[in-house]
Amino acid sequence: EGPTVLKNLVSIFDDMGYPKNVNSDQEFATKEIMKLYETKRITPHVSETGEINKNAIVERLNRTIAGLLQKWRQATK
């Protein structure tokens, strides 16, 4: 869910550092996440639904983030 994703995203960024740019699809373009980007001066690059090539890159990023969240969850129990 959105609040859980946001909380864990902040935790990962706190541990690993905040990026300058984030590429994402519409799933990571919620008001709350966009406000985080604005607050931390992160430039979001959100792909449109029909942009197949960009969405493939974004989906790979989503898998990477999901893997990081899984590792973080296991490490923190």
Side-chain angles (χ1 to χ4, degrees):
E1 297 295 317
T4 303
V5 171
L6 180 61
K7 176 183 164 191
N8 290 325
L9 201 57
V10 168
S11 178
I12 290 169
F13 287 161
D14 284 344
D15 289 343
M16 301 180 77
Y18 282 81
K20 293 181 182 179
N21 302 296
V22 171
N23 293 320
S24 69
D25 57 10
Q26 297 298 323
E27 293 177 70
F28 283 87
T30 64
K31 290 179 185 177
E32 295 83 8
I33 292 176
M34 296 304 271
K35 185 173 180 173
L36 169 69
Y37 294 163
E38 182 181 334
T39 302
K40 298 298 182 178
R41 296 183 181 174
I42 299 170
T43 303
H45 300 282
V46 180
S47 65
E48 296 297 323
T49 305
E51 295 179 325
I52 294 169
N53 291 334
K54 287 183 182 178
N55 284 338
I57 294 168
V58 167
E59 288 306 320
R60 177 63 188 117
L61 174 65
N62 289 347
R63 285 196 317 265
T64 300
I65 291 172
L68 289 171
L69 288 172
Q70 182 66 21
K71 288 177 184 177
W72 176 82
R73 188 171 45 183
Q74 290 172 351
T76 60
K77 299 181 183 187

